[in-house]
């Protein structure tokens, strides 16, 4: 449900206009037309200027804004994809992972540290208020790597397989950057602290069950019912890879990246 139009960046809530879904969708259609046309001309101009060499446009979106701050973001992306497929099929579309898999990099560059956080650094996540969290996070990283390495192939034991995948879910959830961010900004300090500790506790409980070989189905189901995001997660993404090798190029993990 969306009640108000943005109207203008400086408009107070009491002065905002009512949200008009028809007007908004018309604007999405207009924006997606402009966007696809812009991408097409960028690639075409590059090709003409470089003797027929194909160009590459890297498109990145802050997707947490879709349906949230940018209410029509999901519909915009949907229309862009459909318009490329329907009207501009010559423009090849792929994910970053698919591109790297198709065109393995031949060299690397050194990228300076930076973030979107305050000052362009990492203070909002790593400071005197949150420094206690990082040893816990790193310990969980080491533990999940060790366990995942013991099961290079998906086990036939379905209960064990579920536990391994739930372990991976909890690890992702405890690593959420929202927790230290909310602690630093004091927006929801107690809530963020509790959520972090809860995911760590569930992660450790599952790891204990896996390592002991005694997985409690009822306990696992309870955790699965609470944290059921990432339904197609594969714990094997946490298996060790050779230094300098990205997962998409690891033969051991190749099945994860096959369509």
């Amino acid at each position: 449900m969306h009640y108000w139009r943005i109207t203008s960046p400086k408009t107070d809530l009491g002065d905002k206009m009512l949200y008009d879904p028809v007007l908004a969708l018309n604007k999405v259609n207009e924006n997606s037309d402009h966007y696809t046309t812009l991408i097409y001309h960028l690639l075409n101009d590059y090709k003409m200027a470089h003797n027929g060499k194909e160009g590459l446009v890297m498109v990145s979106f802050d997707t947490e804004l879709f349906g949230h701050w940018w209410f029509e973001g999901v519909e915009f992306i949907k229309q862009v994809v459909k318009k490329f497929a329907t009207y501009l099929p010559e423009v090849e579309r792929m994910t970053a992972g698919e591109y790297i898999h198709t065109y393995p990099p031949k060299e690397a560059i050194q990228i300076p540290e930076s973030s979107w956080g305050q000052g362009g650094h990492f203070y909002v996540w790593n400071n005197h208020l949150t420094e206690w969290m990082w040893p816990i996070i790193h310990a969980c990283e080491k533990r999940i790597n060790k366990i995942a390495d013991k099961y290079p192939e998906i086990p036939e034991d379905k209960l064990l397989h579920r536990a391994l995948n739930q372990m991976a879910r909890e690890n992702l959830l405890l690593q959420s950057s929202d927790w230290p961010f909310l602690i630093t900004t004091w927006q929801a300090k107690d809530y963020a602290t509790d959520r972090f500790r809860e995911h760590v506790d569930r992660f450790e409980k599952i790891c204990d069950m896996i390592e002991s070989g005694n997985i409690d189905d009822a306990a696992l189901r309870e955790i699965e019912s609470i944290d059921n995001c990432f339904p197609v997660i594969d714990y094997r993404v946490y298996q060790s890879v050779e230094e300098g090798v990205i997962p998409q190029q690891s033969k051991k993990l190749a099945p994860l990246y096959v369509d």
Side-chain angles (χ1 to χ4, degrees):
M1 183 67 71
H2 202 62
Y3 294 106
W4 313 108
R5 292 170 59 180
I6 293 175
T7 310
S8 81
K10 297 182 179 180
T11 302
D12 184 74
L13 179 60
D15 297 322
K16 288 184 179 293
M17 301 174 67
L18 289 174
Y19 182 75
D20 185 338
V22 175
L23 182 63
L25 288 177
N26 286 338
K27 196 67 176 178
V28 168
N29 186 55
E30 177 185 324
N31 291 161
S32 59
D33 276 346
H34 174 260
Y35 186 78
T36 50
T37 302
L38 176 65
I39 295 296
Y40 172 77
H41 284 300
L42 280 172
L43 291 170
N44 193 54
D45 291 348
Y46 180 90
K47 186 175 182 178
M48 293 178 64
H50 293 80
N51 299 318
K53 180 181 178 181
E54 299 290 351
L56 169 68
V57 175
M58 175 65 184
V59 179
S60 301
F61 292 98
D62 190 352
T63 53
E64 73 159 338
L65 304 182
F66 289 7
H68 175 41
W69 293 110
W70 187 13
F71 192 68
E72 304 84 10
V74 175
E75 181 61 28
F76 170 81
I77 290 296
K78 177 182 176 181
Q79 289 197 22
V80 167
V81 172
K82 290 181 68 175
K83 287 174 180 178
F84 270 124
T86 303
Y87 304 113
L88 297 169
E90 64 271 27
V91 177
E92 188 177 6
R93 302 163 307 284
M94 60 178 65
T95 65
E98 289 170 339
Y99 182 86
I100 291 175
H101 184 71
T102 306
Y103 306 101
K106 298 178 181 178
E107 56 185 336
I109 61 173
Q110 188 70 31
I111 301 177
E113 287 188 356
S114 65
S115 82
W116 57 262
Q118 181 181 352
H121 302 296
F122 306 103
Y123 172 79
V124 291
W125 300 283
N126 190 8
N127 54 70
H128 67 286
L129 294 173
T130 63
E131 59 187 3
W132 62 272
M133 305 172 77
W134 291 102
I136 298 173
I137 293 172
H138 294 320
C140 291
E141 288 175 348
K142 292 179 180 179
R143 193 172 187 186
I144 194 172
N145 287 151
K146 183 178 179 180
I147 293 175
D149 283 344
K150 290 182 178 180
Y151 302 95
E153 303 297 334
I154 294 176
E156 294 183 4
D157 184 334
K158 295 187 181 301
L159 182 60
L160 174 58
H161 186 201
R162 281 171 44 210
L164 288 166
N165 281 342
Q166 191 62 35
M167 171 188 67
R169 289 189 187 93
E170 297 301 336
N171 189 61
L172 283 174
L173 289 168
L174 71 88
Q175 289 179 338
S176 172
S177 65
D178 286 348
W179 313 142
F181 179 84
L182 291 173
I183 290 173
T184 300
T185 60
W186 284 73
Q187 292 180 19
K189 181 175 180 290
D190 292 340
Y191 169 76
T193 300
D194 290 343
R195 280 294 301 272
F196 175 73
R197 292 191 184 281
E198 287 170 3
H199 292 303
V200 171
D201 288 345
R202 291 171 195 152
F203 172 83
E204 292 180 340
K205 183 175 183 178
I206 294 171
C207 289
D208 289 343
M209 289 193 292
I210 294 172
E211 290 175 334
S212 68
N214 184 22
I215 300 174
D216 185 328
D217 184 42
L220 179 59
R221 286 184 183 278
E222 181 180 1
I223 295 175
E224 288 173 328
S225 70
I226 298 171
D227 297 326
N228 51 24
C229 53
F230 317 122
V232 295
I233 197 169
D234 191 323
Y235 73 91
R236 292 178 297 165
V237 296
Y238 286 106
Q239 291 177 2
S240 302
V241 295
E242 299 83 358
E243 184 175 354
V245 176
I246 60 175
Q248 289 90 335
Q249 293 177 320
S250 172
K251 293 181 179 179
K252 183 167 57 176
L253 297 181
L256 300 181
Y257 299 94
V258 175
D259 293 334

